């Protein structure tokens, strides 16, 4: 139970029991004409919100063996703590829960600036051109901006990246690769329109993907390139979203191994990527990594329902254990690997795994007798949101890896994707399929949360105002639900190539 005590500062001290809330000072606003939110903004010299105790100090249990990794972890945690307790955020605007506001306008302007002309020193990023566009368009979409304003410029850019043999490179004259092809297809889905959809040479893309199908069931990321779960996920995103035939092209070398479909041996190959830790590696025998975990889980959830695919092809309890271990305290954010540091990009790569896992385990919400709605969740949403808003958000716009780093387009995109996922409760319900031959139906059965945000009932406490909610993101395709529905409808009604 909490008790209120007077504080010499004139505020109120909220004292919590162990495991609940730690002592914090709340600025006193009684007797003034200010509302609580205004008082918080007017008096920012004190900590203004309560935190779960484990977000206020280093973990109690410490390994006695001190290594370079453990020392760096403690240093990072100590650097984050002042931001989490608002000591470093005194000069920024706060919402009604005492947390730094989502500076929407600054983020929009930051992202828009990334779409303008750049100096010659950005030449090194030429091979990331498709990604830069995707990160920007996804970020703007999640913030509620109209990205169709960029349609003509995007079409000109992407048209020059498409290769006659199929697929897209990430710059002019560069060979086709699954990663920029994925980024391009999703970008075109976001800007929409017949010109965007018709730009994609689907027949050539289908044949090119056939060349990437490997004899063991996986996919290479490019012709002659490495085989990993990125190739599998990005290939299946393009095949499912664009309605490409599942039958392998006759020229595909995978037919020599008796395969006839893009799906052959794929779930079994992904299953072999799970490691002894429970996480998922880029390929069998490698180290578990958060981004590879998302790619593998999302790919399996394209092939079938989460309930079937994740329980049949993965050790789900071991995976849950590994994913849970990646959420760091006191920071609240996720790391990507064992003994690595928190990084806001894993708000998506690891945070985005949870809706898929929760659907596989049929984790459902509960409603009390008084009608109070509680979101059932397997990770600490509040902790993640606090890290994104307090430690990662840059006052000049954009999001950064962690305090002490600079904001960039990559971290901004995936911070917003993670924030969207944490704000909204995802629901999977497989609808009846009218035609037996219709396959890959599962990824389109995720409902759009719409305005039903989880921020009112996190289960750990509400910490965002209504005007800080952002657009729900599709848990498989990582673009807004509307863009997914629109793109699928376009190609469903398009006969042949």
């Amino acid at each position: 139970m909490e008790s209120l005590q007077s504080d010499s500062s004139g505020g109120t001290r909220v004292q919590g029991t162990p495991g609940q809330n730690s002592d914090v000072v709340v600025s006193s606003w009684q007797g003034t004409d200010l509302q609580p939110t205004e008082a918080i903004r007017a008096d920012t010299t004190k900590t203004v919100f309560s935190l779960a105790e484990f977000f206020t100090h280093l973990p109690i249990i410490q390994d006695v063996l001190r290594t370079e990794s453990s020392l760096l972890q403690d240093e990072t945690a100590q650097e984050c703590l002042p931001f989490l307790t608002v000591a470093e955020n005194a000069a920024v605007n706060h919402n009604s829960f005492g947390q730094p506001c989502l500076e929407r306008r600054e983020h929009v302007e930051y992202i828009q600036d990334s779409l303008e002309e750049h100096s010659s020193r950005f030449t090194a990023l030429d091979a990331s051109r498709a990604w830069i566009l995707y990160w920007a368009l996804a970020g703007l979409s999640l913030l509620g901006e109209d990205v169709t304003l960029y349609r003509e410029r995007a079409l000109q850019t992407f048209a020059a990246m498409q290769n006659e043999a199929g697929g897209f490179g990430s710059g002019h004259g560069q060979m086709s690769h699954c990663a920029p092809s994925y980024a391009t297809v999703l970008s075109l889905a976001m800007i929409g329109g017949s010109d965007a959809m018709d730009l994609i040479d689907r027949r050539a893309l289908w044949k090119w993907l056939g060349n990437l199908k490997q004899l063991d069931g996986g996919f290479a990321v490019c012709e002659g390139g490495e085989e990993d779960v990125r190739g599998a996920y990005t290939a299946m995103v393009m095949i499912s979203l664009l309605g490409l035939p599942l039958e392998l092209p006759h020229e595909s070398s995978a037919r020599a191994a008796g395969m006839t479909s893009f799906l052959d041996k794929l779930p079994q190959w992904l299953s072999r990527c799970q490691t002894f830790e429970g996480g998922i590696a880029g390929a069998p025998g490698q180290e578990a990594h958060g981004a590879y975990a998302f790619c593998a889980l999302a790919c399996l959830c394209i092939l079938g329902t989460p309930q079937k695919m994740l329980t049949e092809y993965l050790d789900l309890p071991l995976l849950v254990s590994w994913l849970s271990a990646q959420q760091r305290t006191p920071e609240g954010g996720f790391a990507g690997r064992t003994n690595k540091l928190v990084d806001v990009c894993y708000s998506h790569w690891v945070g985005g795994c949870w809706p898929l896992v929760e659907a596989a385990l049929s984790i459902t919400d509960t409603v009390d007798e008084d009608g109070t709605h509680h979101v059932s969740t397997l990770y600490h949403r509040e902790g993640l949101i606090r890290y994104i808003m307090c430690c990662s958000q840059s006052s000049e716009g954009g999001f950064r890896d962690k305090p002490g780093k600079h904001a960039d387009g990559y971290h901004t995109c995936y911070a917003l994707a993670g924030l969207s996922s944490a704000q909204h409760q995802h629901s999977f319900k497989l609808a009846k399929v009218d035609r037996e031959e219709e396959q890959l139906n599962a990824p389109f059965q995720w409902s759009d949360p719409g305005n039903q945000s989880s921020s009112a009932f996190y289960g750990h406490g509400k910490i965002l105002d209504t005007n800080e909610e952002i657009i729900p993101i599709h848990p498989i395709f990582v673009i807004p639900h509307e863009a997914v529905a629109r793109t699928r409808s376009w190609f469903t009604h398009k006969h042949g190539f």
Side-chain angles (χ1 to χ4, degrees):
M1 296 294 292
E2 294 179 346
S3 61
L4 298 180
Q5 300 177 357
S6 298
D7 183 79
S8 58
S9 64
T12 301
R13 181 175 296 276
V14 183
Q15 186 176 31
T17 56
Q20 294 181 349
N21 288 334
S22 183
D23 287 5
V24 295
V25 176
V26 182
S27 299
S28 177
W29 57 274
Q30 286 86 354
T32 72
D33 293 331
L34 296 174
Q35 294 301 311
T37 306
E38 297 171 325
I40 287 171
R41 293 175 178 172
D43 180 5
T44 55
T45 60
K46 308 176 184 67
T47 306
V48 290
F49 57 79
S50 62
L51 289 168
E53 187 178 17
F54 45 80
F55 292 133
T56 64
H57 53 70
L58 295 178
I60 297 175
I61 301 176
Q62 293 281 341
D63 194 328
V64 295
L65 177 62
R66 308 305 287 163
T67 66
E68 182 179 352
S69 295
S70 64
L71 292 172
L72 191 56
Q73 168 59 34
D74 287 352
E75 179 183 327
T76 301
Q78 293 284 18
E79 191 171 13
C80 289
L81 278 171
F83 289 89
L84 290 168
T85 54
V86 196
E88 293 293 337
N89 291 321
V92 304
N93 294 326
H94 294 82
N95 64 15
S96 56
F97 303 96
Q99 177 173 268
C101 295
L102 177 68
E103 301 292 354
R104 188 184 300 267
R105 178 43 49 191
E106 284 76 5
H107 298 320
V108 168
E109 292 177 354
Y110 175 85
I111 298 172
Q112 288 174 334
D113 184 63
S114 72
L115 294 174
E116 299 303 322
E117 294 184 1
H118 297 293
S119 65
S120 59
R121 62 191 178 90
F122 284 87
T123 303
L125 295 177
D126 186 61
S128 299
R129 190 176 296 208
W131 279 112
I132 291 171
L133 279 169
Y134 165 74
W135 297 331
L137 294 174
L140 290 172
S141 294
L142 291 174
L143 291 170
E145 296 296 304
D146 181 7
V147 296
T148 63
L149 300 175
Y150 301 96
R151 181 181 291 133
E152 293 306 317
R153 290 175 58 199
L155 291 177
Q156 292 176 12
T157 299
F158 289 132
M161 296 180 183
Q162 186 165 214
N163 291 309
E164 187 176 345
F168 294 82
S170 199
H172 301 159
Q174 297 176 17
M175 67 182 297
S176 294
H177 190 287
C178 269
S181 296
Y182 160 91
T184 298
V185 167
L186 294 182
S187 297
L188 292 171
M190 283 185 282
I191 62 176
S194 59
D195 290 346
M197 301 296 98
D198 290 339
L199 173 65
I200 305 168
D201 187 337
R202 293 166 64 241
R203 180 184 293 276
L205 178 63
W206 172 67
K207 290 184 176 181
W208 175 70
L209 288 172
N211 295 335
L212 304 184
K213 180 69 175 178
Q214 301 298 293
L215 302 182
D216 58 4
F219 286 82
V221 294
C222 62
E223 295 191 56
E226 66 271 29
E227 178 186 16
D228 61 36
V229 295
R230 296 176 304 156
Y233 165 64
T234 53
M236 292 313 302
V237 162
M238 290 184 280
I239 290 170
S240 59
L241 191 59
L242 301 179
L244 301 182
L246 294 181
E247 181 184 2
L248 284 168
H250 293 296
E251 303 86 349
S252 174
S253 59
R255 284 187 172 273
M259 286 184 275
T260 60
S261 168
F262 282 107
L263 310 186
D264 288 346
K265 298 183 181 180
L266 178 55
Q268 293 83 359
W269 184 84
L270 291 167
S271 178
R272 296 199 301 274
C273 293
Q274 188 169 25
T275 76
F276 70 94
E277 291 184 281
I280 299 175
Q286 297 180 4
E287 181 185 11
H289 189 284
Y292 293 139
F294 174 80
C295 289
L297 266 62
C299 186
L300 285 169
C301 291
I302 291 174
L303 305 181
T305 68
Q307 294 92 333
K308 179 181 187 298
M309 302 304 295
L310 300 194
T311 56
E312 182 174 337
Y313 292 101
L314 297 174
D315 184 334
L316 205 51
L318 196 59
L319 174 65
V320 169
S321 176
W322 184 84
L323 289 172
S324 299
Q326 304 319 307
Q327 188 162 25
R328 298 290 189 255
T329 55
E331 304 97 302
F334 289 104
R337 290 181 285 168
T338 302
N339 289 330
K340 293 296 183 179
L341 302 177
V342 65
D343 184 332
V344 80
C345 73
Y346 296 112
S347 302
H348 163 66
W349 295 120
V350 177
C353 292
W354 287 115
L356 312 181
V357 170
E358 289 170 354
L361 296 173
S362 300
I363 302 296
T364 58
D365 299 351
T366 60
V367 181
D368 293 342
E369 292 182 358
D370 62 0
T372 304
H373 192 172
H374 299 278
V375 168
S376 299
T377 183
L378 293 177
Y379 72 105
H380 204 293
R381 292 178 185 240
E382 179 191 356
L384 176 60
I385 293 173
R386 287 193 192 280
Y387 180 77
I388 294 172
M389 301 294 287
C390 297
C391 298
S392 173
Q393 185 172 211
S394 170
S395 60
E396 297 177 352
F399 292 81
R400 59 197 177 193
D401 165 355
K402 58 177 66 70
K405 303 289 187 179
H406 294 289
D408 59 64
Y410 168 81
H411 287 96
T412 297
C413 171
Y414 292 119
L416 290 170
L419 183 61
S420 173
S421 183
Q423 281 186 352
H424 300 281
Q425 188 73 347
H426 302 279
S427 176
F428 179 88
K429 185 177 181 181
L430 186 63
K432 181 180 179 181
V433 181
D434 293 330
R435 304 192 310 275
E436 290 186 3
E437 67 270 18
E438 185 175 349
Q439 299 185 61
L440 301 186
N441 189 49
F444 303 102
Q445 303 307 308
W446 293 88
S447 62
D448 184 349
N451 295 323
Q452 297 180 356
S453 171
S454 300
S455 61
F457 40 84
Y458 285 124
H460 304 293
K462 181 176 178 179
I463 55 175
L464 291 174
D465 289 330
T466 303
N467 62 3
E468 295 178 288
E469 294 173 8
I470 59 178
I471 301 297
I473 197 167
H474 194 286
I476 301 294
F477 297 108
V478 202
I479 57 177
H481 285 262
E482 181 185 2
V484 172
R486 184 177 59 235
T487 305
R488 190 202 185 202
S489 176
W490 174 270
F491 290 113
T492 298
H493 294 91
K494 191 176 181 67
H495 300 288
F497 288 112

